[in-house]
Amino acid sequence: MSDRVVLHVDQNAFYASVEMLRRPSLKTVPCAVAGDPVNRHGIVLAKNQLAKTAGIKTGETVWQAKQKCPGLVLIPPDYKSYLYYSRVAREIYREYTDRVEAFGIDECWLDLTGCPDRDGPAVAEALRRRMKAELGLTVSVGVSWNKIYAKLGSDLKKPDATTVISRASYREQVYPLPAGNLLYVGRATERKLGRFGIRTIGQMVDAGPDFLQAQFGIVGLSLFAFAGGLDQTPVALSGREVPIKSVGNSLTTRRDLYTEQDIKAVTYMLTESVAGRLRDAGMAARTVQVSLRDYALYNFERQAPLPRPTLLCSEIAPEAFKLIMAHFQPGQWIRSLGVRACNLIPQSRLNQESFLPDDRRRQAVFRLEDTIDSLRGRYGGLSVRRGISLVDRSLTEHDIKSENVIHPVGLSGP
Amino acid sequence: MSRPVPVTVILEMRASGTRHPLEIVWEDGRRYEITRSLYLGRKAARSAGSGECWLCLIQGRHVPLYYSPLTGCWWMDGKGQAEAPPAPEAYRPVKDRGHKGPGS
């Protein structure tokens, strides 16, 4: 049987490239797409080549970046455009194969096995050329026989390059690379490997599956397979729906929350979005989970069962608020708050007509929230608001639901 | 050097679903008739942005006309200097993005 042909396409400095595409003058200055420091979302999300040369790293705070490069131009992110360019890029990929699996907004795996165009390097060249001519964006492509090496390849040469890792050459290309380059070898795993003198991917293979399993458990076997190019994970068919397991929203607020009223306002605002998204997905939640981060960046999560499965904000929010207040220490200042609905069941299992007064009231609330959803869909998320959100507009002036962006799903699935 | 010039377009929407630009209004108000146009599909503009592109015959010259499905804006490549890059300290929240480029 012939080998698989897997491509990994990575759009270079995606957010920054989109910004430079529409304002080419940005190419002449170091620039970075970053969140708003006033709203305390101030981290660097993407940077251009000049900023990279100045030592700016993705994920660092705006003030750190400004210290390294005082002339850095900061641009607020515009997710609507990024999603548009990401969607058009996938349309191009789908002209070559139906197996296009997204890994975040700017990366995709393509499986060309069995397709009319299955010459990996030729398709990679065509993709690079077309992306530049049609979208004005550059991509780097890795070509190999498995997803892990394809991803590794696309990271090797940037920007606008193709790297082929073949069975004939992978030992010379892959084995000398640092173990940390491999997908799923993070800082902690790299440190642990380092303790045994394992610093390269080749040394991981030499260590053998038994040794890695003894150190890392079942994950060790996966790491061995990843390092040796034995990974068999298929590239998912595009459009395949991954079943939703939970719906959540979180927010780092503009200022710390310390009064009950502040916390209540933000909890309700987040729950409104969560409940709206639950209704869109046709799911009901049986458990509510809250996550808190205080000003010292201490994190914790708590969860509690809901009295009965629900998709109503007016039922989830009080439970979430109760849960927060039960674990909130007076004097603690909350920096970031999250509400999540999990343990989901399909809405169809809820709809049992009943003549009990309580259930009829519930159905009325459902119709009310459904109507508010459609008003918001038409006139914007802030067109209908709860009274409590007016207590401090600086905290609640967010349209959480429409600003919601779902971020990458892990390789091994959610 | 080229800069994006937003233009107003008089368009014919045919029953077949295709669009045919007939006339453009330049930024200074001058109107130009499009003698013939050819739809080229997606294309990156020389000035800025990318979108759907028509190659138009205007006064005997072939010039590209772009449309952004993202913003609904039309633009062409104009002569001249591109806008200056923004000053380093200008961080504008999303609500009042200053630029009105083709992709904004």
Side-chain angles (χ1 to χ4, degrees):
Chain A
M1 204 180 89
S2 66
D3 243 349
R4 289 200 295 163
V5 185
V6 180
L7 264 61
H8 182 265
V9 190
D10 186 350
Q11 291 178 276
N12 306 127
F14 182 49
Y15 295 176
S17 299
V18 170
E19 297 296 340
M20 288 191 294
L21 174 68
R22 31 191 216 188
R23 272 195 290 176
S25 60
L26 288 171
K27 287 179 195 161
T28 59
V29 290
C31 76
V33 177
D36 186 355
V38 178
N39 282 336
R40 304 200 298 181
H41 301 158
I43 59 161
V44 173
L45 303 168
K47 75 271 174 198
N48 71 355
Q49 199 57 41
L50 286 174
K52 195 175 179 180
T53 317
I56 311 286
K57 292 200 167 61
T58 302
E60 72 185 355
T61 56
V62 164
W63 64 266
Q64 281 173 323
K66 278 276 190 188
Q67 267 181 348
K68 286 185 191 168
C69 176
L72 186 72
V73 175
L74 297 170
I75 307 152
D78 175 12
Y79 291 108
K80 207 175 127 200
S81 309
Y82 309 150
L83 288 171
Y84 165 77
Y85 280 103
S86 167
R87 188 172 54 76
V88 178
R90 279 174 215 170
E91 276 172 24
I92 296 179
Y93 306 155
R94 272 196 283 269
E95 289 179 28
Y96 296 89
T97 172
D98 57 344
R99 292 193 173 269
V100 176
E101 182 183 337
F103 188 56
I105 191 168
D106 59 341
E107 297 181 24
C108 273
W109 276 288
L110 281 67
D111 190 344
L112 300 176
T113 319
C115 294
D117 280 333
R118 53 177 167 270
D119 179 1
V123 172
E125 287 306 311
L127 279 176
R128 282 203 301 130
R129 203 185 53 243
R130 286 190 61 187
M131 290 289 285
K132 212 160 28 173
E134 294 180 23
L135 289 186
L137 298 172
T138 60
V139 293
S140 44
V141 190
V143 185
S144 192
W145 71 89
N146 65 73
K147 285 164 85 173
I148 304 296
Y149 279 8
K151 161 97 177 125
L152 202 62
S154 73
D155 289 337
L156 280 184
K157 255 189 274 171
K158 282 181 176 182
D160 197 14
T162 305
T163 308
V164 182
I165 296 178
S166 65
R167 287 221 187 252
S169 64
Y170 75 99
R171 286 192 181 83
E172 294 81 55
Q173 280 174 292
V174 175
Y175 282 11
L177 297 173
N181 284 18
L182 204 65
L183 197 64
Y184 287 98
V185 178
R187 251 178 298 175
T189 310
E190 197 179 5
R191 215 169 28 237
K192 197 166 172 187
L193 285 168
R195 262 186 260 146
F196 303 106
I198 300 174
R199 305 200 194 282
T200 65
I201 296 176
Q203 286 169 337
M204 278 174 78
V205 179
D206 292 340
D210 296 336
F211 177 79
L212 290 177
Q213 190 182 10
Q215 301 308 323
F216 297 95
I218 195 82
V219 180
L221 289 178
S222 303
L223 287 177
F224 177 76
F226 289 176
L230 306 170
D231 174 55
Q232 298 278 333
T233 329
V235 177
L237 272 172
S238 62
R240 191 195 67 163
E241 292 282 324
V242 181
I244 306 176
K245 289 197 168 175
S246 69
V247 175
N249 277 113
S250 66
L251 180 74
T252 301
T253 49
R254 198 167 183 151
R255 60 170 175 81
D256 287 334
L257 311 173
Y258 53 94
T259 67
E260 206 176 310
Q261 205 169 37
D262 288 346
I263 297 169
K264 193 170 184 181
V266 175
T267 308
Y268 270 79
M269 179 180 66
L270 290 168
T271 314
E272 293 255 0
S273 162
V274 170
R277 288 172 55 207
L278 276 177
R279 286 190 289 271
D280 287 349
M283 303 294 253
R286 287 183 290 189
T287 305
V288 63
Q289 194 180 62
V290 295
S291 58
L292 271 83
R293 175 181 291 180
D294 69 8
Y295 64 97
L297 301 183
Y298 168 72
N299 269 323
F300 69 86
E301 281 186 359
R302 295 290 179 269
Q303 63 176 38
L306 290 161
R308 53 185 171 175
T310 180
L311 33 64
L312 299 177
C313 174
S314 52
E315 290 180 2
I316 302 171
E319 292 298 322
F321 181 62
K322 214 158 66 185
L323 199 58
I324 294 169
M325 294 320 286
H327 295 95
F328 169 72
Q329 317 276 332
Q332 197 179 16
W333 292 33
I334 299 175
R335 180 184 164 89
S336 152
L337 197 65
V339 177
R340 175 172 293 277
C342 36
N343 206 351
L344 304 182
I345 54 164
Q347 187 185 349
S348 51
R349 279 173 52 190
L350 283 185
N351 288 348
Q352 293 161 346
E353 284 292 327
S354 161
F355 295 102
L356 293 171
D358 188 37
D359 276 356
R360 296 184 74 171
R361 196 194 69 81
R362 212 173 169 218
Q363 278 160 18
V365 174
F366 177 77
R367 280 198 300 276
L368 174 68
E369 293 201 4
D370 205 34
T371 309
I372 294 175
D373 276 349
S374 56
L375 282 173
R376 285 184 176 148
R378 199 161 164 189
Y379 299 108
L382 297 176
S383 55
V384 185
R385 301 171 67 175
R386 281 179 188 265
I388 191 153
S389 74
L390 302 176
V391 172
D392 183 346
R393 281 171 186 258
S394 75
L395 286 178
T396 54
E397 203 82 329
H398 296 279
D399 183 358
I400 301 278
K401 193 176 166 210
S402 68
E403 286 168 12
N404 183 58
V405 179
I406 296 181
H407 284 287
V409 185
L411 174 69
S412 44
Chain B
M1 250 350 201
S2 87
R3 67 189 170 95
V5 179
V7 290
T8 302
V9 178
I10 316 293
L11 197 70
E12 186 177 83
M13 306 279 287
R14 300 219 176 133
S16 58
T18 54
R19 287 161 293 172
H20 296 262
L22 301 176
E23 196 178 51
I24 59 133
V25 185
W26 197 248
E27 54 184 348
D28 57 7
R30 279 184 292 171
R31 303 173 87 93
Y32 296 93
E33 194 193 336
I34 298 169
T35 324
R36 223 163 38 171
S37 68
L38 175 68
Y39 180 66
L40 296 183
R42 277 187 301 256
K43 200 170 177 316
R46 195 156 46 91
S47 52
S50 61
E52 292 177 38
C53 177
W54 282 259
L55 192 62
C56 299
L57 185 64
I58 298 176
Q59 296 187 344
R61 283 178 57 214
H62 285 104
V63 282
L65 169 69
Y66 303 95
Y67 167 74
S68 166
L70 175 64
T71 59
C73 295
W74 294 83
W75 78 100
M76 293 178 90
D77 296 329
K79 283 192 190 123
Q81 201 74 18
E83 56 155 11
E89 64 274 18
Y91 183 95
R92 296 199 195 93
V94 179
K95 273 180 197 160
D96 46 87
R97 293 174 78 87
H99 65 284
K100 288 271 180 265
S104 68

